[in-house]
Amino acid sequence: MFFKQLKYLVCVSITLTISGGLFAQTTVKLATVAPEGSPWANELAKIKKKIEGESQGQIKFKIYPGGQMGGENEILQQVIRGKLQGAGLTAGALANTVKELNVLEIPYLFNSYAQADCVLDEHLLEDFRKLFEAKGLIFVTWAENGYRSIGTKSAPVKKPEDLKGIKIRVQESPVHIAYWKQLGVSGIPIAIPEVLPSLQTGVVEGFDNTPLFTLAAEWQTAIKYFTLTRHIYQPAAILYSKKYWDTLNDEQKKTLMGEGNKLAPGARQAVRSIEKNMIATLKKADVQVYEPTSADLAGFKSAANIVAGQVIGKIGGQSKQIYDKIQKAKAACGP
């Protein structure tokens, strides 16, 4: 699949070499925050082969893994300025520019993967396509990071009260920050490349992310406990800089766009199919994995309900309309 990697997170920088007024070659520099050898980096190798073949050598790829181009917010700003021509980023990072994406980060917003897929693909696709373009971004497809849970160093977390006094790394997102605050935690926003050293040195004592990303970034080496709260379903998006996109001819756009959002099911399945293996791998790494009971999760969900009411009115833009549309779509999409 063209953008099957997910979750995570790809940055595309494309330089056009022009000779005699004709496009001689396009060099695509791909960077990801995922380390070399991770599932995402491996998928990028497949993408490289596919696109170079389809373009008959007119598009060349070079891959930069491990956050060499910076954290997600740095990548996004470079794309907006046109210094990088594309990216694969989580909704949490993109929400700093497309504010309506903050709505998707509300904890326990969706009841299942199937419901999330239906809402995003069948009810919100065109809304967000327009919202992205208004900010200078060309939407290609949804992908995902998955459901975020909690990893900690010194003590297991079974209920919100267990988080008292623990310094938690949070994604640089107003919704994430608001949720942790509601849970009684003073979250510390830290960019992805700095999280592992921050855990190792005690700047923070925990974080939230998916099992897959935790292992890809090797954060499991700095924790002892992982609680499957699954509190935030986090989609991602593949996109290009509109400034760059407008310089392309139709054939180049067609090749780089690929199948568009028809790529989303494969990208999601690639992440979901290995979740059980990732949890098993955490256990093999001597991380104690806890599956909360319904009673355990009640406090986390209660805090989420409060956050939804707090942030919708503050996000601005079309956030209220998007939130209302999600609620209506959920009824149509089923549980």
Side-chain angles (χ1 to χ4, degrees), residues 9-55:
L9 305 175
V10 179
C11 160
V12 182
S13 173
I14 303 177
T15 303
L16 294 176
T17 302
I18 301 178
S19 176
L22 299 175
F23 289 101
Q25 188 179 76
T26 299
T27 299
V28 181
K29 297 177 181 178
L30 287 140
T32 173
V33 297
E36 192 169 4
S38 68
W40 300 292
N42 293 339
E43 287 301 325
L44 292 183
K46 297 178 183 178
I47 292 171
K48 169 184 169 71
K49 183 177 180 180
K50 180 177 176 64
I51 300 302
E52 287 185 345
E54 289 184 352
S55 68

Coordinates of all heavy atoms in Angstrom, one line a residue, residues 9-55:
L9 N 4.3 8.2 11.0 CA 4.7 9.6 11.0 C 5.8 9.8 10.0 O 6.9 9.5 10.3 CB 5.1 9.9 12.4 CG 4.1 9.6 13.4 CD1 4.6 9.9 14.8 CD2 2.9 10.3 13.2
V10 N 5.5 10.4 8.8 CA 6.4 10.5 7.7 C 6.5 12.0 7.3 O 5.5 12.6 7.2 CB 6.0 9.7 6.5 CG1 7.0 9.8 5.3 CG2 5.9 8.2 6.8
C11 N 7.7 12.4 7.0 CA 7.9 13.8 6.4 C 8.5 13.6 5.0 O 9.5 13.0 4.9 CB 8.8 14.6 7.3 SG 9.4 16.0 6.5
V12 N 7.9 14.3 4.0 CA 8.4 14.1 2.7 C 8.9 15.4 2.2 O 8.2 16.4 2.2 CB 7.2 13.7 1.7 CG1 7.7 13.6 0.3 CG2 6.5 12.5 2.2
S13 N 10.2 15.5 1.8 CA 10.8 16.7 1.2 C 11.2 16.4 -0.2 O 11.9 15.5 -0.5 CB 12.0 17.1 2.0 OG 12.6 18.2 1.4
I14 N 10.6 17.2 -1.1 CA 10.8 16.9 -2.5 C 11.5 18.1 -3.2 O 11.0 19.2 -3.1 CB 9.4 16.6 -3.2 CG1 8.8 15.4 -2.4 CG2 9.6 16.3 -4.6 CD1 7.5 15.0 -2.9
T15 N 12.6 17.8 -3.9 CA 13.3 18.9 -4.7 C 13.2 18.6 -6.1 O 13.5 17.5 -6.6 CB 14.8 18.9 -4.2 OG1 14.8 19.1 -2.8 CG2 15.5 20.0 -4.9
L16 N 12.7 19.6 -6.9 CA 12.6 19.4 -8.3 C 13.9 19.9 -9.0 O 14.4 21.0 -8.7 CB 11.4 20.2 -8.9 CG 10.0 19.7 -8.4 CD1 9.0 20.7 -8.9 CD2 9.8 18.3 -8.9
T17 N 14.4 19.1 -9.9 CA 15.6 19.5 -10.7 C 15.1 19.8 -12.1 O 14.5 18.9 -12.8 CB 16.6 18.4 -10.8 OG1 17.0 18.1 -9.5 CG2 17.8 18.8 -11.6
I18 N 15.2 21.0 -12.6 CA 14.7 21.4 -13.8 C 15.8 21.6 -14.9 O 16.8 22.3 -14.6 CB 13.9 22.7 -13.7 CG1 12.7 22.5 -12.7 CG2 13.3 23.2 -15.0 CD1 11.9 23.7 -12.4
S19 N 15.7 21.0 -16.0 CA 16.7 21.1 -17.1 C 16.0 21.4 -18.4 O 15.1 20.7 -18.8 CB 17.4 19.8 -17.2 OG 18.4 19.8 -18.3
G20 N 16.4 22.5 -19.0 CA 15.9 22.9 -20.3 C 14.4 23.2 -20.2 O 13.7 23.0 -21.2
G21 N 13.8 23.6 -19.0 CA 12.4 23.9 -18.9 C 11.6 22.6 -18.6 O 10.4 22.7 -18.5
L22 N 12.2 21.4 -18.6 CA 11.4 20.2 -18.4 C 11.8 19.6 -17.1 O 12.9 19.7 -16.6 CB 11.7 19.2 -19.5 CG 11.4 19.6 -20.9 CD1 11.9 18.6 -21.9 CD2 9.9 19.8 -21.1
F23 N 10.9 18.8 -16.4 CA 11.2 18.1 -15.2 C 12.1 17.0 -15.5 O 11.8 16.0 -16.2 CB 9.9 17.6 -14.5 CG 9.0 18.7 -14.0 CD1 7.9 19.1 -14.7 CD2 9.3 19.3 -12.8 CE1 7.1 20.2 -14.2 CE2 8.5 20.3 -12.3 CZ 7.4 20.7 -13.0
A24 N 13.3 17.1 -15.0 CA 14.3 16.0 -15.2 C 14.2 14.9 -14.2 O 14.2 13.7 -14.5 CB 15.7 16.6 -15.2
Q25 N 14.0 15.3 -12.9 CA 13.9 14.3 -11.9 C 13.4 14.9 -10.6 O 13.6 16.1 -10.4 CB 15.3 13.7 -11.6 CG 15.2 12.5 -10.7 CD 16.6 11.9 -10.5 OE1 17.4 12.4 -9.7 NE2 16.9 10.8 -11.1
T26 N 12.7 14.2 -9.8 CA 12.2 14.6 -8.5 C 12.8 13.7 -7.5 O 12.6 12.5 -7.5 CB 10.6 14.5 -8.5 OG1 10.1 15.4 -9.5 CG2 10.1 15.0 -7.1
T27 N 13.5 14.3 -6.5 CA 14.1 13.6 -5.4 C 13.2 13.8 -4.2 O 13.0 14.9 -3.7 CB 15.5 14.0 -5.1 OG1 16.3 13.9 -6.3 CG2 16.1 13.3 -4.0
V28 N 12.7 12.7 -3.6 CA 11.8 12.7 -2.5 C 12.6 12.3 -1.3 O 13.0 11.1 -1.2 CB 10.6 11.7 -2.7 CG1 9.7 11.8 -1.5 CG2 9.9 12.1 -4.0
K29 N 12.8 13.2 -0.3 CA 13.4 12.9 0.9 C 12.4 12.6 2.0 O 11.6 13.5 2.3 CB 14.3 14.0 1.4 CG 15.4 14.3 0.4 CD 16.3 15.5 0.9 CE 17.4 15.8 -0.1 NZ 18.1 17.1 0.3
L30 N 12.4 11.4 2.5 CA 11.4 11.0 3.5 C 12.0 10.9 4.8 O 13.0 10.2 5.0 CB 10.8 9.6 3.1 CG 9.8 9.6 1.9 CD1 10.1 8.4 1.0 CD2 8.4 9.6 2.4
A31 N 11.4 11.6 5.8 CA 11.9 11.5 7.2 C 10.8 11.1 8.1 O 9.6 11.4 7.9 CB 12.5 12.9 7.6
T32 N 11.2 10.3 9.1 CA 10.2 9.9 10.1 C 10.7 9.9 11.5 O 11.9 9.8 11.7 CB 9.7 8.4 9.8 OG1 8.9 7.9 10.8 CG2 10.9 7.5 9.6
V33 N 9.9 10.1 12.5 CA 10.3 10.1 13.9 C 10.6 8.7 14.3 O 11.2 8.5 15.4 CB 9.4 10.8 14.8 CG1 9.2 12.3 14.5 CG2 8.0 10.1 14.8
A34 N 10.1 7.7 13.6 CA 10.3 6.3 14.0 C 11.7 5.9 13.6 O 12.3 6.3 12.6 CB 9.3 5.4 13.2
P35 N 12.3 5.1 14.5 CA 13.7 4.7 14.3 C 13.9 3.7 13.2 O 12.9 3.0 12.8 CB 14.1 4.1 15.6 CG 12.8 3.6 16.2 CD 11.8 4.6 15.8
E36 N 15.1 3.5 12.7 CA 15.4 2.5 11.6 C 15.1 1.1 12.2 O 15.4 0.8 13.3 CB 16.8 2.6 11.2 CG 17.2 1.9 10.0 CD 18.6 2.2 9.5 OE1 19.3 3.0 10.1 OE2 18.9 1.7 8.4
G37 N 14.5 0.3 11.3 CA 14.1 -1.0 11.8 C 12.8 -1.2 12.3 O 12.3 -2.3 12.6
S38 N 12.1 0.0 12.6 CA 10.7 -0.1 13.1 C 9.8 -0.4 11.9 O 10.1 -0.4 10.8 CB 10.3 1.3 13.7 OG 10.3 2.2 12.6
P39 N 8.5 -0.8 12.3 CA 7.5 -1.1 11.2 C 7.3 0.0 10.2 O 7.2 -0.2 9.0 CB 6.3 -1.4 12.0 CG 6.7 -1.9 13.3 CD 8.0 -1.1 13.6
W40 N 7.4 1.2 10.7 CA 7.1 2.4 9.8 C 8.3 2.5 8.8 O 8.1 2.8 7.7 CB 6.9 3.6 10.6 CG 5.7 3.5 11.5 CD1 4.4 3.4 11.1 CD2 5.7 3.4 12.9 NE1 3.6 3.3 12.1 CE2 4.3 3.3 13.3 CE3 6.7 3.4 13.9 CZ2 3.9 3.1 14.6 CZ3 6.3 3.3 15.2 CH2 4.9 3.2 15.5
A41 N 9.5 2.4 9.4 CA 10.7 2.6 8.5 C 10.7 1.5 7.5 O 11.1 1.7 6.3 CB 12.0 2.6 9.3
N42 N 10.3 0.3 7.9 CA 10.3 -0.8 6.9 C 9.3 -0.6 5.8 O 9.5 -0.9 4.6 CB 10.0 -2.1 7.6 CG 11.1 -2.6 8.6 OD1 12.2 -2.1 8.4 ND2 10.8 -3.4 9.6
E43 N 8.1 0.0 6.2 CA 7.1 0.3 5.2 C 7.6 1.4 4.2 O 7.2 1.4 3.0 CB 5.8 0.8 5.9 CG 5.1 -0.4 6.6 CD 4.7 -1.5 5.6 OE1 4.3 -1.1 4.4 OE2 4.7 -2.6 6.0
L44 N 8.4 2.3 4.7 CA 8.9 3.4 3.8 C 9.7 2.8 2.7 O 9.8 3.3 1.6 CB 9.7 4.4 4.6 CG 8.9 5.3 5.6 CD1 9.9 6.2 6.3 CD2 7.8 5.9 4.9
A45 N 10.5 1.7 3.0 CA 11.2 1.0 2.0 C 10.3 0.5 0.9 O 10.7 0.5 -0.3 CB 12.1 -0.1 2.6
K46 N 9.2 0.0 1.3 CA 8.2 -0.5 0.3 C 7.6 0.6 -0.5 O 7.4 0.5 -1.7 CB 7.1 -1.3 1.0 CG 7.5 -2.5 1.8 CD 6.3 -3.1 2.5 CE 6.8 -4.3 3.3 NZ 5.6 -5.0 4.0
I47 N 7.4 1.7 0.1 CA 6.9 2.9 -0.6 C 7.9 3.4 -1.6 O 7.6 3.7 -2.8 CB 6.6 4.1 0.4 CG1 5.4 3.7 1.3 CG2 6.3 5.4 -0.3 CD1 5.1 4.6 2.4
K48 N 9.1 3.4 -1.2 CA 10.2 3.8 -2.1 C 10.2 3.0 -3.4 O 10.3 3.5 -4.5 CB 11.6 3.7 -1.4 CG 12.8 3.8 -2.2 CD 14.1 3.6 -1.4 CE 15.3 3.4 -2.2 NZ 15.7 4.7 -2.8
K49 N 10.1 1.7 -3.2 CA 10.2 0.8 -4.3 C 9.0 1.0 -5.2 O 9.1 1.0 -6.5 CB 10.2 -0.7 -3.8 CG 10.3 -1.7 -4.9 CD 10.4 -3.1 -4.4 CE 10.5 -4.1 -5.5 NZ 10.6 -5.5 -4.9
K50 N 7.8 1.2 -4.6 CA 6.5 1.3 -5.4 C 6.6 2.6 -6.3 O 6.3 2.6 -7.5 CB 5.3 1.3 -4.5 CG 4.0 1.5 -5.2 CD 2.9 1.3 -4.2 CE 1.5 1.6 -4.9 NZ 1.2 0.6 -5.9
I51 N 6.9 3.7 -5.6 CA 6.8 5.0 -6.3 C 7.9 5.1 -7.4 O 7.6 5.6 -8.5 CB 6.8 6.2 -5.3 CG1 5.7 6.1 -4.3 CG2 6.8 7.5 -6.0 CD1 4.3 6.1 -5.0
E52 N 9.1 4.7 -7.0 CA 10.1 4.8 -8.0 C 9.8 3.9 -9.2 O 10.1 4.3 -10.4 CB 11.5 4.3 -7.4 CG 12.0 5.3 -6.4 CD 13.4 5.0 -5.9 OE1 13.8 3.8 -6.1 OE2 14.1 5.9 -5.3
G53 N 9.1 2.8 -9.0 CA 8.7 1.9 -10.1 C 7.7 2.6 -11.0 O 7.7 2.6 -12.2
E54 N 6.6 3.1 -10.3 CA 5.5 3.7 -11.0 C 5.9 4.9 -11.8 O 5.3 5.2 -12.9 CB 4.4 4.0 -10.0 CG 3.7 2.8 -9.5 CD 2.5 3.2 -8.6 OE1 2.4 4.4 -8.3 OE2 1.7 2.3 -8.2
S55 N 6.9 5.7 -11.3 CA 7.3 6.9 -12.0 C 8.4 6.6 -13.0 O 8.9 7.6 -13.7 CB 7.8 7.9 -10.9 OG 9.1 7.4 -10.4

